[in-house]
Amino acid sequence: MWLKPEEVLLKNALKLWVTEKSNSYFVLQRRRGHGDCGGKISGLLVGALDAVLDSNARVAPFRILLQVPGSQVYWAIASGAAVEEINQHWDWLTQNLLHTLPVFDNKEDITSFVSGKIKGLIAEESRSKLAEQEEDPEKFRDALVKFETRFSLPSSEKLVTYYSCCCWKGRVPRQGWLYLSINHLSFYSFLLGKEVKLVIPWADVTKLERSSTSFITDTIRVTTRSKERHFSMFLSIDEAFRIMEQLADITIRRLLDNEVFELDQSLQEPAHITKRVLEERAQKEYFRALFRLPWQERLLEVVKCSLWTPFSRCHTAGTVYTSDSYVCFVSKEEGCCTLVIPLREVISIEKMENTSLLPNPVIISIRSKKAFQFIEIENRDSLVESMSQRLESVQRKQQTCRKKTRSKELISPLPYYSLYYDDLCTDSETIEATEKLNRHSLNEEALMSTFHQTEPETSDSKVTMEQVKECLWQDHFSEYGRSSCMFRTEKIRKLVAMGIPESLRGELWLTFSDAITDLASHPDYYANLVDESMGKCCMATEEIERDLHRSLPEHPAFQNETGIAALRRVLTAYAYRNPKIGYCQSMNILASVLLLYAKEEEAFWLLVAVCEKMLPDYFNRRVIGAQVDQSVFEELIKERLPELSEHFTNLSALSSISLSWFLTLFLSIMPFESAIRVVDCFFFEGIKAIFQLGLAVIDANAVDLCNSKDDGQAMMILTRFLDHVKNQESPLHCITSQHACFEDDKESFQETEIADLIRDSYEKFGDMTVEQIERLRCRHRIHVLQTHEDTAKENTLRVVAPDILLTLEELGEVYDLFKREHFINCYWGEKVPALQYHGPSLQYVDQYRIDQHQFRSLYNLLSPWMCGVHTDTVAHRAFRLLDENMDSLINFKEFAVCLDTMYCEELNEKIRLLYRLHIPPALTENDGEEQSPLKTPLLSTTRPLCVAPSNGEANDYQEQLRQMLKDLAKDKEKNNEKELPTMNQREFIQFCKTLYSMFHEDPNENELCQAIATVTTLLLQIGEVGQRIRSLGSTSEESSGNDDGGDAAACSRVPEEDSVFMDTRDTARKNSQTSTLSEGEWTVTFEQILASLLTEQSLVNFFEKPVDLKTRIESAKLNQYDQRITPLLIE
């Protein structure tokens, strides 16, 4: 075991220890008298001394010392009672520390580093002895307190587990603690007086993998878009990596793929995720993938036991898995025996008498008059009781289903034959109901039975081969069973690889996929679904109609309406059943092949099994599942065919070629009679069959692919090869593939027999396991989803960039901050569905949206218009202005346009935005009622308007304003801009308040305040003049005198110094006609405010001075979390 480091002054005091191994830093020693064969006196004396000592004082016979070069002090760091134990510690030290220690320059650093590492290992070792972290609440509580204290994250950021490890910075390791929480990976280190904190959101992780470096053999590499981090020296690196994979997978799918991702009930609420829950989830995923069961199946018990296998006349050791509707068994030896028992097939579950030969036996009897015997079951009584309860529940459901079916038959309005023989029946409702029942007649036979075409010159050898296969399968059925409860062994795998006979193909597909259970459990489901779905028009039905005649058009079954109509019904019914998938291309090819060998209803349930169980996430808008498997396929090529991977530096070209192999199970690539053999293997093995066959195809063409010059030539090589894969044993008529015909190629090409290709795939690549494939899928799904996010970002920027002046780099950084704000709300914000939902099917700019609180946070981080305590008020007004559709959410484009106006637009556009922030809908009735700092003499209209500049010359503000108003009027007529509403006095006060707040702490604050005081006084006088003009205009309209005289009288009452505002009379009158202003109300227009601001050069300089957005972005990256977390911690 590891020891808390203790000083040892003499490594061989009194010659009590013998050195067994040593290197530059560590010494492994053995106590004299232990393991000595020679029996020397010194050894005997030491052994006798140790034997007579009290047990508490006895010394372990083996130990490991830390020796620092040049130091006389040694440190005991490990001890052991057995050679195996101490050698494990020695191997760990040499693999993980020996190559690291030369990096340190002085002895103290080496001692401190090793000491910290050993202490961490001791803590890890004590924790690993517990089955779960929850069983030691005190230690976990201490770790939780440290996690919350060190990182200051909200309490809702639940800690899942923690590990002692090292984080590498270049060649320098830092010993510390790795904390894994539901949304983040966090690392903390305090070494040699330096504190290091690292927080990585799982949503930022693009790749998670095990790797090796020149310094250390096994590390976990965490890759984000900007950096790579390496973590190593775990006590149990396998467990740590598995937990990290699961947390990253769950978080990324929950945030980026929640349109398709179905969470387990235990994971619906992230706060409920624990280490135990993650381990249970991993086991459930393995269980569902191994037996290809629906994702709704809950794994309930996992028990070690043995099953009586009559074909081997012995009990086979393995594991039994029980769920809501199944009892499954898999042998301990890979591929030896697998068994799937649906509870609906079970009659009884009984305990038998316990004997020495048959300990704890349980007998499960099924409907086909067979029984399965399990022995050596721990906790047999509780297991049998729980299974019996579930069996009763299943049987009750079956009885209810039978009663409903029987009642429908009893109340049938009219027997089918009455349509032909009962001429007196005139009940219109009865006839209508009958027509409805018979409107969509379903095919009761497989299409191949009607359109079966064998070659005209079919040889006797081919017929004999089919008969031989049928005999072999019949013999197998008699020994191993025929229903879904058959024993699945290596023998049946060989039979499938040889090829399933034409007469048994549909039956065995139903059995292997367990679609037969769904078929039996849902009587009349498909017929009702057809009646409900047919005739309804939607996007899926339009796509189905377009692809109907492209489905195996060369086969006679789909050259007439019978096959086409059946295919239409199956595809439409499935689209109606599962609108999340609807219809996707390549489903038509799969469904058409299923219809050839199965009845219509059976074909429907086979399609359900393929789309929902065997190829999950393949058939949706983004085909995520298929892309994940392509990424897995690339890694398998690198691992299994290294020479080829060296030639193809970028394997994405090969994966793009192989995408159709996975989507159509080679049906669109190979000749039909060959591809059908691949489908046989797929239904038995699952996706593993496609992986290993794909590798066999690549391997068969490896030499030619290495000699290819480009991707086009590689595609030609593979396409040509697959087009010449033949099935000489098939009795079917040869159907030429339409996808890879080389009619103009006159040179002959060597043909490959499909049986040979399948055999090679099993021999060379058949050692892959379901667990390996699922682990690879989990790892590569992260990368695929993040690649989709990168694509979505590029498309969003492409849509937004033409409308703004920000650089593409700045826009991308702002997008990342906007997206992170959305994620922060998903982590710790309110559980609002609209905010939690990320819809990849939405338009790119609408995929992420934020609410008012999130906008306020981003505004404080990025806006150049900071107003002190008034900033939040301005942010709320900006949000109301941008939220045009009133859904309390804004998208990225709306936010980017607002930010672009503040930073990059011309002065008049900036003032226009500022103006709009202070009129409805941005400014509400209850907004800005607090005490205003503007209630000062600065608002006095008696303030002089002429300010003497430094040169002593007086500015003629009247002439200047008049000219500006005329220019603005011309620009307005030229651009035909929408006229902005006028601003009343209350709104104007808020406008001025914002301006004063913006100037606070500016270097030129005094000058700006003087300028705004001048402009404010000017605008107040403008408003007063406009108010008097409207009042006089109203009076003159009511009088019967001359209009011109009235105007002249009104003008005569205007002071001479205010004559410049006469030009505003027409504008005021026009506004009074188009608005609902009360008589005599004080108002100003946008043009008047803009013209007034332009008279002060200091104000112009303030709004036109460049502001560095990049600096604000870098600051926002560092402070975004604190900005959102602080209010949450206060709450």
Side-chain angles (χ1 to χ4, degrees):
M1 63 179 179
W2 299 107
L3 301 176
K4 185 178 180 180
E6 297 179 353
E7 288 188 9
V8 178
L9 295 179
L10 297 175
K11 71 172 182 177
N12 197 13
L14 303 177
K15 298 184 178 180
L16 298 178
W17 295 91
V18 178
T19 299
E20 296 283 337
K21 299 179 183 179
S22 66
N23 54 42
S24 301
Y25 296 93
F26 302 104
V27 179
L28 190 155
Q29 294 183 330
R30 174 180 52 81
R31 185 83 166 174
R32 285 189 183 274
H34 294 274
D36 285 342
C37 298
K40 294 182 180 180
I41 296 177
S42 59
L44 294 174
L45 289 174
V46 174
L49 178 65
D50 291 341
V52 299
L53 288 175
D54 183 79
S55 60
N56 294 328
R58 290 178 184 175
V59 180
F62 300 95
R63 71 177 182 178
I64 297 177
L65 303 179
L66 167 66
Q67 60 174 6
V68 180
S71 175
Q72 297 299 318
V73 180
Y74 292 79
W75 298 80
I77 58 176
S79 65
V83 176
E84 294 78 12
E85 181 185 5
I86 203 67
N87 282 336
Q88 286 181 359
H89 291 354
W90 178 265
D91 293 340
W92 191 93
L93 290 170
T94 55
Q95 292 175 8
N96 293 279
L97 295 184
L98 186 60
H99 301 291
T100 305
L101 298 180
V103 175
F104 296 96
D105 296 327
N106 55 63
K107 296 177 288 186
E108 290 77 9
D109 291 348
I110 295 175
T111 304
S112 177
F113 175 78
V114 175
S115 177
K117 185 60 191 173
I118 297 302
K119 290 177 181 178
L121 290 174
I122 293 171
E124 277 292 304
E125 194 171 50
S126 62
R127 289 177 64 250
S128 64
K129 293 177 182 178
L130 301 171
E132 299 291 343
Q133 65 186 21
E134 291 85 348
E135 295 180 8
D136 192 2
E138 290 300 325
K139 288 187 176 180
F140 188 78
R141 189 178 297 113
D142 292 342
L144 179 61
V145 170
K146 292 178 181 178
F147 171 69
E148 293 177 347
T149 303
R150 290 167 175 173
F151 299 100
S152 301
L153 297 176
S155 58
S156 56
E157 183 64 21
K158 180 178 174 58
L159 178 65
V160 176
T161 188
Y162 60 101
Y163 298 95
S164 172
C165 69
C166 277
C167 178
W168 291 75
K169 185 177 182 181
R171 297 185 176 183
V172 180
R174 296 200 66 88
Q175 170 65 32
W177 291 92
L178 183 70
Y179 297 91
L180 305 180
S181 58
I182 55 177
N183 298 307
H184 298 85
L185 176 153
S186 308
F187 178 80
Y188 178 85
S189 173
F190 187 82
L191 190 63
L192 304 179
K194 185 175 181 181
E195 186 180 53
V196 175
K197 292 182 182 180
L198 176 66
V199 179
I200 303 175
W202 292 120
D204 289 352
V205 174
T206 58
K207 191 177 290 187
L208 195 63
E209 55 191 345
R210 299 269 291 270
S211 63
S212 298
T213 65
S214 56
F215 294 96
I216 199 161
T217 56
D218 201 359
T219 67
I220 297 177
R221 181 167 60 197
V222 180
T223 306
T224 63
R225 290 179 176 84
S226 57
K227 290 183 179 180
E228 283 187 0
R229 300 285 184 180
H230 294 264
F231 300 92
S232 65
M233 301 184 191
F234 293 87
L235 183 63
S236 176
I237 192 170
D238 293 332
E239 177 191 299
F241 185 66
R242 185 171 64 251
I243 297 294
M244 292 168 72
E245 269 188 331
Q246 290 190 73
L247 285 171
D249 179 60
I250 290 172
T251 304
I252 290 176
R253 293 178 74 182
R254 174 165 53 85
L255 295 176
L256 305 184
D257 198 31
N258 55 14
E259 190 176 42
V260 176
F261 181 41
E262 300 285 355
L263 277 173
D264 290 342
Q265 191 65 32
S266 58
L267 303 179
Q268 291 289 351
E269 179 55 50
H272 296 162
I273 296 176
T274 64
K275 182 180 176 183
R276 176 181 297 170
V277 168
L278 290 176
E279 291 176 350
E280 290 175 353
R281 176 181 181 265
Q283 198 170 37
K284 290 177 183 177
E285 293 290 333
Y286 170 71
F287 162 70
R288 293 166 185 162
L290 179 62
F291 300 105
R292 296 192 293 279
L293 300 178
W295 70 268
Q296 297 91 340
E297 280 298 310
R298 297 179 305 155
L299 178 61
L300 300 176
E301 292 105 0
V302 180
V303 181
K304 298 291 184 182
C305 67
S306 295
L307 171 67
W308 174 255
T309 49
F311 52 87
S312 60
R313 299 183 182 279
C314 67
H315 284 89
T316 301
T319 306
V320 65
Y321 299 83
T322 68
S323 66
D324 294 317
S325 306
Y326 293 88
V327 176
C328 305
F329 174 86
V330 62
S331 61
K332 187 176 181 180
E333 182 181 350
E334 179 72 25
C336 177
C337 177
T338 304
L339 180 66
V340 179
I341 307 174
L343 285 181
R344 69 177 315 277
E345 295 293 329
V346 175
I347 298 176
S348 65
I349 301 175
E350 301 173 302
K351 294 183 291 184
M352 303 300 291
E353 183 180 355
N354 188 11
T355 65
S356 59
L357 295 177
L358 299 175
N360 296 332
V362 173
I363 302 296
I364 299 180
S365 303
I366 61 175
R367 298 181 186 278
S368 57
K369 298 181 180 180
K370 290 188 177 182
F372 299 97
Q373 182 189 79
F374 297 87
I375 63 171
E376 299 175 344
I377 298 177
E378 296 182 3
N379 300 322
R380 179 183 65 164
D381 295 341
S382 60
L383 177 65
V384 172
E385 182 180 357
S386 62
M387 287 196 300
S388 299
Q389 290 175 355
R390 291 194 294 275
L391 177 60
E392 291 177 3
S393 176
V394 170
Q395 289 175 345
R396 283 196 299 270
K397 291 179 182 179
Q398 288 179 321
Q399 292 175 358
T400 304
C401 186
R402 291 194 195 100
K403 289 180 181 179
K404 288 182 179 180
T405 305
R406 200 174 294 121
S407 63
K408 288 182 180 180
E409 294 174 355
L410 293 174
I411 63 172
S412 179
L414 197 65
Y416 179 73
Y417 58 82
S418 65
L419 288 175
Y420 300 94
Y421 300 109
D422 193 353
D423 296 334
L424 300 177
C425 179
T426 58
D427 189 343
S428 60
E429 293 182 0
T430 302
I431 295 175
E432 183 179 349
T434 306
E435 289 176 350
K436 182 177 180 180
L437 288 174
N438 295 278
R439 182 170 53 202
H440 301 293
S441 57
L442 308 180
N443 286 356
E444 296 298 331
E445 296 292 338
L447 294 178
M448 191 64 79
S449 62
T450 306
F451 300 95
H452 183 71
Q453 286 195 349
T454 57
E455 295 187 33
E457 62 282 358
T458 301
S459 61
D460 294 338
S461 62
K462 292 186 177 181
V463 176
T464 304
M465 180 58 70
E466 280 292 296
Q467 293 174 350
V468 170
K469 290 180 180 179
E470 289 177 0
C471 291
L472 290 174
W473 277 97
Q474 294 299 336
D475 293 340
H476 184 274
F477 291 151
S478 62
E479 186 176 2
Y480 294 86
R482 182 163 188 165
S483 66
S484 56
C485 301
M486 70 166 64
F487 290 101
R488 306 180 190 190
T489 64
E490 186 65 30
K491 182 177 180 180
I492 196 172
R493 178 180 285 110
K494 294 179 180 178
L495 287 175
V496 172
M498 288 174 57
I500 298 176
E502 293 286 315
S503 59
L504 298 175
R505 182 163 279 135
E507 175 190 343
L508 289 173
W509 286 359
L510 286 165
T511 300
F512 294 152
S513 65
D514 197 45
I516 191 171
T517 300
D518 292 330
L519 174 65
S521 302
H522 300 83
D524 297 330
Y525 176 86
Y526 174 67
N528 295 333
L529 206 59
V530 170
D531 288 337
E532 293 174 10
S533 61
M534 293 302 292
K536 294 185 178 180
C537 184
C538 62
M539 185 178 297
T541 57
E542 294 176 2
E543 294 176 353
I544 289 170
E545 290 296 328
R546 186 173 60 247
D547 288 346
L548 282 177
H549 295 279
R550 304 175 185 174
S551 309
L552 298 184
E554 63 278 1
H555 198 284
F558 298 99
Q559 294 173 356
N560 65 83
E561 188 56 29
T562 301
I564 294 296
L567 182 60
R568 179 187 293 112
R569 289 191 294 270
V570 169
L571 293 176
T572 305
Y574 185 79
Y576 190 79
R577 162 193 164 87
N578 192 344
K580 282 188 177 181
I581 293 179
Y583 170 77
C584 296
Q585 286 190 351
S586 77
M587 285 176 65
N588 60 317
I589 297 175
L590 292 176
S592 59
V593 174
L594 299 176
L595 282 167
L596 289 176
Y597 292 97
K599 300 175 184 178
E600 186 175 327
E601 187 175 8
E602 295 172 346
F604 169 80
W605 286 111
L606 282 170
L607 184 64
V608 170
V610 171
C611 295
E612 299 177 12
K613 294 190 294 186
M614 305 184 74
L615 296 177
D617 292 344
Y618 262 60
F619 303 99
N620 52 49
R621 294 180 180 89
R622 302 192 296 170
V623 290
I624 293 293
Q627 294 185 54
V628 169
D629 282 350
Q630 293 312 296
S631 186
V632 172
F633 190 55
E634 288 183 32
E635 179 164 337
L636 291 174
I637 292 175
K638 292 178 183 178
E639 178 183 338
R640 301 301 185 100
L641 303 171
E643 295 180 0
L644 183 65
S645 62
E646 290 177 4
H647 176 77
F648 281 89
T649 55
N650 184 10
L651 290 173
S652 58
L654 288 180
S655 64
S656 63
I657 298 171
S658 64
L659 179 62
S660 59
W661 304 355
F662 287 77
L663 283 173
T664 65
L665 309 180
F666 287 90
L667 286 166
S668 63
I669 307 300
M670 285 186 184
F672 176 79
E673 63 276 6
S674 301
I676 205 67
R677 293 277 299 274
V678 179
V679 180
D680 293 341
C681 297
F682 168 75
F683 273 111
F684 181 74
E685 295 280 3
I687 195 62
K688 172 188 171 183
I690 308 301
F691 277 119
Q692 64 188 34
L693 189 67
L695 289 172
V697 170
I698 299 293
D699 182 51
N701 295 273
V703 176
D704 293 336
L705 290 173
C706 288
N707 295 329
S708 62
K709 299 179 181 179
D710 52 36
D711 297 343
Q713 187 176 357
M715 179 182 291
M716 186 71 70
I717 291 170
L718 293 174
T719 306
R720 188 192 298 264
F721 173 83
L722 291 169
D723 189 50
H724 288 80
V725 176
K726 303 300 181 182
N727 184 7
Q728 300 296 337
E729 300 175 357
S730 175
L732 298 178
H733 176 68
C734 182
I735 301 175
T736 305
S737 173
Q738 62 173 348
H739 298 276
C741 296
F742 300 94
E743 297 177 358
D744 56 341
D745 188 10
K746 296 182 179 179
E747 64 180 58
S748 60
F749 192 85
Q750 182 179 359
E751 294 183 349
T752 303
E753 184 63 30
I754 184 62
D756 297 336
L757 191 61
I758 291 175
R759 184 181 62 253
D760 289 345
S761 73
Y762 275 101
E763 290 177 353
K764 296 180 179 179
F765 311 106
D767 58 340
M768 286 186 296
T769 64
V770 172
E771 187 175 13
Q772 291 173 351
I773 293 174
E774 290 302 310
R775 288 286 299 275
L776 289 172
R777 279 177 163 178
C778 179
R779 188 183 314 164
H780 287 275
R781 188 183 295 111
I782 297 172
H783 177 66
V784 169
L785 288 174
Q786 292 289 20
T787 302
H788 275 269
E789 281 299 296
D790 293 339
T791 303
K793 176 182 176 180
E794 293 174 1
N795 289 323
T796 303
L797 300 186
R798 178 176 52 81
V799 171
V800 176
D803 298 331
I804 62 176
L805 300 175
L806 295 174
T807 65
L808 202 60
E809 181 182 357
E810 292 172 339
L811 190 61
E813 299 281 4
V814 172
Y815 178 88
D816 292 336
L817 291 170
F818 188 89
K819 175 180 171 181
R820 180 179 293 179
E821 194 67 33
H822 170 89
F823 285 162
I824 291 175
N825 186 79
C826 295
Y827 300 154
W828 310 308
E830 298 179 3
K831 303 302 181 183
V832 180
L835 293 177
Q836 299 289 318
Y837 177 72
H838 165 60
S841 60
L842 298 175
Q843 294 183 0
Y844 290 115
V845 295
D846 289 328
Q847 290 190 6
Y848 293 107
R849 293 179 291 175
I850 59 176
D851 65 0
Q852 183 170 320
H853 298 292
Q854 296 167 283
F855 177 82
R856 180 185 63 191
S857 176
L858 283 177
Y859 185 94
N860 281 292
L861 290 169
L862 295 175
S863 174
W865 294 353
M866 302 306 294
C867 306
V869 295
H870 193 55
T871 302
D872 287 351
T873 303
V874 176
H876 291 159
R877 293 172 186 167
F879 181 84
R880 288 193 290 267
L881 178 65
L882 296 175
D883 185 21
E884 296 181 356
N885 59 357
M886 305 295 288
D887 64 350
S888 299
L889 297 171
I890 64 169
N891 61 31
F892 174 69
K893 184 175 183 179
E894 293 166 338
F895 178 79
V897 169
C898 177
L899 202 64
D900 178 69
T901 302
M902 295 178 181
Y903 277 96
C904 303
E905 284 290 355
E906 297 178 354
L907 174 63
N908 61 333
E909 290 300 323
K910 293 180 179 179
I911 303 302
R912 178 183 293 274
L913 175 60
L914 199 59
Y915 181 90
R916 294 180 66 194
L917 291 178
H918 296 84
I919 58 175
L923 187 71
T924 61
E925 290 293 331
N926 299 324
D927 196 1
E929 294 299 331
E930 64 272 11
Q931 184 69 25
S932 173
L934 298 179
K935 295 178 180 178
T936 66
L938 288 173
L939 290 180
S940 172
T941 58
T942 61
R943 188 177 180 87
L945 290 177
C946 295
V947 181
S950 58
N951 58 8
E953 297 180 0
N955 283 337
D956 187 356
Y957 281 96
Q958 299 174 358
E959 185 63 31
Q960 189 176 359
L961 267 177
R962 182 183 294 109
Q963 186 60 39
M964 286 181 178
L965 288 170
K966 289 180 179 179
D967 293 342
L968 288 170
K970 291 179 181 178
D971 292 341
K972 181 178 177 181
E973 293 176 359
K974 182 177 180 180
N975 297 330
N976 292 323
E977 293 180 357
K978 183 179 180 180
E979 184 177 354
L980 293 174
T982 58
M983 181 180 286
N984 62 31
Q985 191 167 20
R986 171 181 168 274
E987 295 163 354
F988 177 69
I989 290 174
Q990 295 301 318
F991 178 81
C992 296
K993 179 179 178 180
T994 300
L995 289 177
Y996 275 106
S997 302
M998 290 172 63
F999 303 149
H1000 184 58
E1001 296 184 358
D1002 189 275
N1004 301 319
E1005 182 178 358
N1006 291 334
E1007 182 181 356
L1008 290 168
C1009 287
Q1010 289 293 328
I1012 197 60
T1014 302
V1015 170
T1016 301
T1017 304
L1018 179 61
L1019 286 169
L1020 285 170
Q1021 293 184 355
I1022 291 176
E1024 291 175 357
V1025 170
Q1027 183 180 17
R1028 278 178 285 180
I1029 290 175
R1030 284 192 298 275
S1031 299
L1032 293 174
S1034 175
T1035 304
S1036 63
E1037 288 175 2
E1038 293 176 358
S1039 65
S1040 58
N1042 190 319
D1043 291 342
D1044 294 338
D1047 290 344
C1051 292
S1052 65
R1053 297 187 187 98
V1054 178
E1056 181 179 356
E1057 63 179 8
D1058 293 340
S1059 60
V1060 66
F1061 305 122
M1062 288 296 297
D1063 292 337
T1064 66
R1065 181 183 58 183
D1066 294 335
T1067 302
R1069 181 177 299 172
K1070 180 178 180 182
N1071 288 338
S1072 66
Q1073 295 173 355
T1074 58
S1075 64
T1076 58
L1077 295 174
S1078 60
E1079 182 178 333
E1081 185 175 355
W1082 186 97
T1083 61
V1084 291
T1085 65
F1086 165 70
E1087 290 80 6
Q1088 292 165 347
I1089 289 179
L1090 177 60
S1092 301
L1093 291 173
L1094 290 175
T1095 61
E1096 293 293 334
Q1097 189 61 40
S1098 59
L1099 296 177
V1100 173
N1101 292 340
F1102 176 82
F1103 282 104
E1104 288 189 340
K1105 68 179 178 182
V1107 182
D1108 188 8
L1109 177 58
K1110 291 184 178 180
T1111 303
R1112 301 300 296 269
I1113 289 174
E1114 293 302 320
S1115 175
K1117 289 180 181 179
L1118 298 175
N1119 300 320
Q1120 188 173 17
Y1121 265 49
D1122 294 337
Q1123 184 93 4
R1124 289 298 305 278
I1125 290 172
T1126 302
L1128 293 171
L1129 293 177
I1130 294 174
E1131 292 176 4

